[in-house]
Amino acid sequence: TTSYKGDSMKAMVLAAGFGTRLQPLTRILPKPMFPVLGRPLLSHIFDLLLSANISEVAVNIHHLPDFMIDYFEKEKPTDLNLHFSREEKILGTAGGIKKMEDFLGDGPFILINSDIVTDIALNKVIDFHKKNNSKLTLVVRQDISPEQFDSIEICEDGRIVHFIGASSMELPENTKQVMFTGIQIMEPEIFNRIPEGQFCGTTEDIFPQMIRDDVPVYGYLYNGYWKDMGNRESYLQVNADALDEKVFLKGISPNDTNHSFTIPPILVGRNCHIAENSKIGPHSVIGPNCTIKNGAVVENSILWEGVTIGAGSTVKGSVIAKNRTIGDGKNIKDESVI
């Protein structure tokens, strides 16, 4: 039996990682829960899945798992049937999906990283996957700096012929070098390749063998907005891009922010107290219940919920964690404050 009802597939979101490049912030909040335009990153991933009529979704969790479970119990996403898969010890991408084989194994399914921001039309990827009778479709892109990422090579028809550590057939002449975006569609046959109950990676262990075995593996070339939210700079950039509408994400409903002391684009959450002679923006997201005192400046920064910025303080290029107070006259630049 297949899991398509019409075009509907199941999906799994990979949210078990530690987010080490975003420390110290990830010591107190798991990366998938970082607010982007005032909503958890994971909520934006759910929006993306729902836009392709995907309503059965599993999420694997390991690092600070209760933040995710508690939040989504209170804020149940409408139209989404959510299943959490706790990994007591981290299993790797392939090990994580193997654990969810009973849930995922009745048809093709989407696997997506929880730390990416994109507004890709997943329906187009699903159509491409079906049209090519692909066993594995990776969404790939041509990046300006591919040396940052291990390279993958695709033919003109999208077939992947070279994958990190493995090549299939004679490499044709006209191949494109691309990078993997962390979005993929898999057929359930992949479960036969994954050992039970042990750490196993897809890109390290499973995909190279599929290429060597000449299994039809395709790359869907995507040129639209995509960012991996790996460090503070890219976290700030994603929010700035969303404020600039370079990527279309649903934000919280803002307070009225049309004041003389604001420089758009900004987003200000509910119940904030902002002194008239402060300066907010551009490219700043202020969470709910924040207080910004006389003469304070907040620029290109993100304040999580309940932050207080003291009189005469300046915050630039920084992220301030929930309920923190920055004292009067402080100067915070390019920092993460927990």
Side-chain angles (χ1 to χ4, degrees):
T1 60
T2 169
S3 73
Y4 307 133
K5 294 173 200 62
D7 264 352
S8 180
M9 280 186 182
K10 289 178 179 172
M12 180 156 169
V13 183
L14 300 168
F18 293 98
T20 42
R21 288 180 299 151
L22 271 160
Q23 281 184 353
L25 295 165
T26 42
R27 289 193 202 130
I28 59 165
L29 193 68
K31 179 162 57 167
M33 294 305 293
F34 276 35
V36 173
L37 290 195
R39 294 173 67 232
L41 182 51
L42 209 43
S43 296
H44 296 291
I45 298 280
F46 295 156
D47 292 346
L48 193 67
L49 294 168
L50 282 166
S51 70
N53 297 322
I54 292 164
S55 57
E56 290 283 335
V57 179
V59 182
N60 72 332
I61 51 178
H62 171 77
H63 175 59
L64 303 175
D66 294 331
F67 280 95
M68 292 182 252
I69 291 170
D70 295 349
Y71 180 90
F72 287 106
E73 267 176 8
K74 284 192 204 85
E75 305 275 336
K76 281 200 169 49
T78 39
D79 305 326
L80 206 62
N81 198 355
L82 208 48
H83 311 259
F84 284 99
S85 170
R86 260 182 203 264
E87 295 180 10
E88 296 310 324
K89 65 173 201 287
I90 221 158
L91 294 169
T93 306
I97 61 173
K98 182 71 172 177
K99 184 170 184 273
M100 292 303 286
E101 182 172 1
D102 287 348
F103 171 73
L104 295 168
D106 58 356
F109 59 93
I110 287 186
L111 191 64
I112 184 166
N113 290 356
S114 64
D115 60 353
I116 58 172
V117 176
T118 180
D119 47 14
I120 188 173
L122 288 174
N123 280 326
K124 291 183 176 171
V125 189
I126 293 169
D127 291 345
F128 173 90
H129 176 81
K130 291 183 195 170
K131 192 183 91 208
N132 287 294
N133 291 316
S134 177
K135 292 297 176 197
L136 168 66
T137 298
L138 307 182
V139 177
V140 294
R141 63 196 296 266
Q142 286 183 286
D143 201 77
I144 30 204
S145 53
E147 65 279 357
Q148 284 182 3
F149 300 91
D150 290 319
S151 91
I152 298 168
E153 288 179 47
I154 58 171
C155 291
E156 286 173 338
D157 66 353
R159 180 92 184 240
I160 293 178
V161 289
H162 175 76
F163 193 85
I164 313 121
S167 292
S168 77
M169 45 193 152
E170 291 292 300
L171 279 192
E173 277 179 15
N174 296 333
T175 64
K176 277 196 185 97
Q177 206 176 23
V178 293
M179 54 151 286
F180 177 38
T181 63
I183 305 167
Q184 59 238 287
I185 301 180
M186 297 176 167
E187 292 292 325
E189 292 96 300
I190 198 155
F191 290 111
N192 304 331
R193 295 175 171 269
I194 307 171
E196 192 94 41
Q198 66 187 64
F199 187 92
C200 182
T202 46
T203 52
E204 307 87 339
D205 304 310
I206 306 300
F207 296 171
Q209 193 53 51
M210 290 174 78
I211 300 290
R212 280 193 287 269
D213 293 346
D214 241 2
V215 173
V217 176
Y218 280 82
Y220 175 90
L221 193 56
Y222 174 64
N223 299 316
Y225 188 92
W226 177 91
K227 206 155 190 63
D228 156 29
M229 212 184 78
N231 55 27
R232 186 185 66 251
E233 292 73 20
S234 59
Y235 176 42
L236 290 168
Q237 190 63 53
V238 154
N239 280 273
D241 289 345
L243 288 169
D244 284 335
E245 298 187 346
K246 290 178 184 168
V247 57
F248 290 95
L249 304 176
K250 218 185 324 179
I252 52 162
S253 37
N255 261 352
D256 170 31
T257 49
N258 192 12
H259 295 291
S260 56
F261 54 83
T262 61
I263 304 164
I266 62 164
L267 180 63
V268 176
R270 300 275 162 200
N271 306 321
C272 288
H273 300 279
I274 298 175
E276 281 290 336
N277 60 347
S278 59
K279 183 181 139 222
I280 312 290
H283 297 122
S284 294
V285 180
I286 312 298
N289 308 312
C290 287
T291 302
I292 295 170
K293 297 188 174 173
N294 286 340
V297 174
V298 178
E299 191 180 293
N300 188 31
S301 293
I302 299 169
L303 310 187
W304 291 359
E305 186 178 346
V307 168
T308 300
I309 306 295
S313 290
T314 299
V315 177
K316 293 187 178 180
S318 296
V319 181
I320 314 295
K322 186 175 174 177
N323 298 335
R324 295 304 176 264
T325 296
I326 303 298
D328 295 352
K330 289 272 193 300
N331 185 10
I332 307 287
K333 190 170 192 295
D334 302 333
E335 281 184 53
S336 299
V337 178
I338 67 166

